[in-house]
Amino acid sequence: MTINSLGDHADLPAEITEVLNVAQYSTTANFPVELSYSYNTLAATENPNPLYWDQALADKLTGGMTMPSTTLSLWMRPHRWEPGSSDEQVALKVHFDLKDRLELPEAIMSDNSLILFEPVRPGDVISHHQVLRSVSAPKTTKLGTGRFWVIDVEYHNQNGTLVGLESYTGFGYRKRAAPVAGAADRVASTASTPQDCNDTAPAEQPSESEQPAERKAEAVRYQVQARPEGEPLGELHHDVTATTVVLGALASRDWRPMHHDHRFAIERNGTSDIFMNAPNLAAWFERYITDWSGPTGRIGRMVFRIRDSVFPGDHMVIAGTLASQTTDETGCTWSRLEIHLSVADRLCCTCSARVAVATDLSDNPWARRGEAWKP
C-alpha cells in the first residue's frame, strides 16, 4: 500500500528499478513489545497522558495498556549490537542501500507519514517489511546535490493484523564545497508535498483526584466536543537541552551519531550541534495533540515535514489550530489539526494530524475496530 509517491525513475540503475514496489527485508522483531519503551518515550517528551500511565483507565478505554502511537518506528529498529553481528545494525536498510548504490554519502529525512490501525500492546511481536516507492531525478538543495526517495514500511502484529503504515522521504546527497552552517534537515520546499491527511493550554478537564477509575474513564470522554474551525490549540513551550535530544533518540532506539555525537554532527552533517531526530519530534507532536484531546483522542494519521533542525539551547514552541471537524459514515468524529514547531523566527517542523475524538459518553474512538476505524 503506497502512502506517498515521488519522482521519475528513467535514469536509475537497473539494480534499483528492479526493486521498486517490491517488499524487502521482511523481519520479525527478536524481542516483544515492552511497556518500558512506552515510559522512555513519555519521559523524553514529559507526556502526562493518563491513558499510558493509569492501568484502570487503559482497561476501560482501550481494553488494556497500549503503546504511544508514535513509537511505531521503534519496532523496526534492531539492537545496536548483538552476538554474531560484525557490522553496525541499522534500521531502514533500504535507505542505506540507496546511499551506497547511488554513491551519496550523506542523507537526511525530510518528511514522515504515519497511518495507525490496530493499537500496539505490550507482549506483541511486530513484523515489518520495507518497500522502495520512488527515487527522484537529481536535485540540488542547500545541503548539496542528490536524490529524494520514498520508502514505505508496513507493520503487523503476531496475529498478522495490520498495526501501521509509515512512509519516509529521504534525501541522499553530496555536500556542497562550502556547507551552509546549520543546514542539515533543511530541505528545499519542493521536496515533496505532505498528504492532507506545561506549558500547553489544553481544554479544561475535570479533576481526577479521588475519582474511581470507572468515573474517570467516563469523565474524560467529554474532553473534546464539537468546536469551531480555526480554534487555537494553545502553545507548548520547552527548553531543549542535550538531554532532550539524546533521551529522545534513545527512547526511539535511534543510534545514529548525529543525535548524540557533537563532532560527528558538525563534521558530517554540517550542523552547529547534535539535533533532534524525527521520531522524537513526532512524539512531541503526539504529546501536544493529546494534551488537547485528552486520553480518548486517538490519532489516525499524522504527516510531518522537517524544515530545520532543533538543537540544544533552543526554546521550541509548538502551536496549532483546529482546521476542521467532520463525522464520517461510521459516526466517528475526526478533528484535523494543523500544527507547527518553531524556534524564535525559525519554522522547524510542520504537522497535519487526523484525530478521532469522543463527543459524548456513547462514543469511544479506541473501541473502534475493522471497518469502524477509517484513519
Side-chain angles (χ1 to χ4, degrees), residues 266-279:
I266 62 175
E267 293 181 356
R268 289 289 302 274
N269 288 88
T271 64
S272 60
D273 205 341
I274 59 175
F275 51 92
M276 290 175 67
N277 71 337

Side-chain angles (χ1 to χ4, degrees), residues 118-182:
E118 182 71 14
V120 175
R121 301 180 183 274
D124 283 350
V125 177
I126 305 299
S127 299
H128 77 279
H129 62 255
Q130 304 166 41
V131 181
L132 175 64
R133 293 301 183 188
S134 57
V135 182
S136 77
K139 307 280 186 179
T140 299
T141 74
K142 294 179 181 179
L143 293 173
T145 299
R147 296 176 186 262
F148 291 96
W149 48 70
V150 175
I151 303 167
D152 289 352
V153 185
E154 186 171 316
Y155 301 86
H156 294 81
N157 64 19
Q158 67 280 1
N159 301 317
T161 304
L162 180 67
V163 297
L165 292 166
E166 189 170 29
S167 182
Y168 292 89
T169 298
F171 179 58
Y173 63 98
R174 288 186 171 277
K175 289 192 294 187
R176 288 175 176 271
V180 179

Side-chain angles (χ1 to χ4, degrees), residues 134-357:
S134 57
V135 182
S136 77
K139 307 280 186 179
T140 299
T141 74
K142 294 179 181 179
L143 293 173
T145 299
R147 296 176 186 262
F148 291 96
W149 48 70
V150 175
I151 303 167
D152 289 352
V153 185
E154 186 171 316
Y155 301 86
H156 294 81
N157 64 19
Q158 67 280 1
N159 301 317
T161 304
L162 180 67
V163 297
L165 292 166
E166 189 170 29
S167 182
Y168 292 89
T169 298
F171 179 58
Y173 63 98
R174 288 186 171 277
K175 289 192 294 187
R176 288 175 176 271
V180 179
D185 280 336
R186 298 182 189 177
V187 181
S189 60
T190 56
S192 62
T193 301
Q195 295 185 356
D196 200 45
C197 35
N198 155 333
D199 318 285
T200 307
E204 186 175 341
Q205 55 185 321
S207 170
E208 297 182 358
S209 61
E210 300 181 1
Q211 291 189 44
E214 187 167 328
R215 289 194 57 192
K216 285 195 291 184
E218 290 184 350
V220 295
R221 294 190 186 182
Y222 281 116
Q223 181 82 16
V224 174
Q225 300 182 35
R227 294 185 180 276
E229 294 183 5
E231 179 185 65
L233 307 182
E235 293 186 347
L236 171 61
H237 293 252
H238 188 76
D239 290 319
V240 179
T241 66
T243 300
T244 308
V245 177
V246 175
L247 183 57
L250 174 66
S252 56
R253 293 170 55 83
D254 186 347
W255 323 123
R256 297 299 297 157
M258 66 282 289
H259 306 305
H260 65 260
D261 185 327
H262 175 78
R263 183 169 294 280
F264 184 97
I266 62 175
E267 293 181 356
R268 289 289 302 274
N269 288 88
T271 64
S272 60
D273 205 341
I274 59 175
F275 51 92
M276 290 175 67
N277 71 337
N280 191 9
L281 291 166
W284 277 99
F285 281 125
E286 178 175 8
R287 183 221 157 149
Y288 178 81
I289 291 166
T290 58
D291 276 358
W292 171 76
S293 72
T296 55
R298 181 180 177 186
I299 299 172
R301 184 183 295 241
M302 197 165 81
V303 180
F304 67 96
R305 170 179 288 179
I306 300 172
R307 296 177 178 271
D308 204 345
S309 302
V310 180
F311 301 105
D314 284 346
H315 177 79
M316 68 178 185
V317 180
I318 304 176
T321 58
L322 174 60
S324 65
Q325 195 166 65
T326 58
T327 301
D328 68 20
E329 65 272 22
T330 71
C332 184
T333 298
W334 291 97
S335 295
R336 183 168 64 86
L337 311 181
E338 297 297 337
I339 309 167
H340 58 271
L341 186 159
S342 300
V343 173
D345 60 348
R346 290 191 292 121
L347 176 62
C348 296
C349 199
T350 59
C351 174
S352 179
R354 176 172 157 88
V355 186
V357 296

Side-chain angles (χ1 to χ4, degrees), residues 2-224:
T2 304
I3 302 177
N4 206 340
S5 183
L6 176 73
D8 176 5
H9 309 128
D11 63 339
L12 291 174
E15 61 180 334
I16 294 178
T17 58
E18 288 170 357
V19 296
L20 282 166
N21 300 309
V22 175
Q24 299 183 73
Y25 299 111
S26 296
T27 304
T28 299
N30 58 4
F31 61 99
V33 173
E34 297 177 11
L35 201 57
S36 60
Y37 288 112
S38 173
Y39 295 137
N40 287 340
T41 296
L42 298 170
T45 55
E46 301 178 10
N47 187 341
N49 187 347
L51 183 66
Y52 303 123
W53 298 94
D54 186 329
Q55 179 73 59
L57 183 62
D59 289 344
K60 183 70 177 180
L61 292 182
T62 72
M65 298 297 279
T66 63
M67 304 297 289
S69 300
T70 54
T71 59
L72 185 64
S73 68
L74 192 155
W75 314 115
M76 77 164 175
R77 300 182 189 279
H79 301 311
R80 176 65 177 77
W81 176 92
E82 58 186 24
S85 62
S86 56
D87 299 322
E88 178 185 3
Q89 305 297 296
V90 296
L92 208 62
K93 188 66 167 60
V94 170
H95 174 76
F96 292 92
D97 288 348
L98 289 167
K99 288 178 61 180
D100 291 342
R101 292 170 182 172
L102 295 172
E103 298 182 347
L104 299 171
E106 313 299 338
I108 54 91
M109 293 296 178
S110 63
D111 291 30
N112 185 239
S113 303
L114 299 172
I115 304 176
L116 301 157
F117 295 92
E118 182 71 14
V120 175
R121 301 180 183 274
D124 283 350
V125 177
I126 305 299
S127 299
H128 77 279
H129 62 255
Q130 304 166 41
V131 181
L132 175 64
R133 293 301 183 188
S134 57
V135 182
S136 77
K139 307 280 186 179
T140 299
T141 74
K142 294 179 181 179
L143 293 173
T145 299
R147 296 176 186 262
F148 291 96
W149 48 70
V150 175
I151 303 167
D152 289 352
V153 185
E154 186 171 316
Y155 301 86
H156 294 81
N157 64 19
Q158 67 280 1
N159 301 317
T161 304
L162 180 67
V163 297
L165 292 166
E166 189 170 29
S167 182
Y168 292 89
T169 298
F171 179 58
Y173 63 98
R174 288 186 171 277
K175 289 192 294 187
R176 288 175 176 271
V180 179
D185 280 336
R186 298 182 189 177
V187 181
S189 60
T190 56
S192 62
T193 301
Q195 295 185 356
D196 200 45
C197 35
N198 155 333
D199 318 285
T200 307
E204 186 175 341
Q205 55 185 321
S207 170
E208 297 182 358
S209 61
E210 300 181 1
Q211 291 189 44
E214 187 167 328
R215 289 194 57 192
K216 285 195 291 184
E218 290 184 350
V220 295
R221 294 190 186 182
Y222 281 116
Q223 181 82 16
V224 174

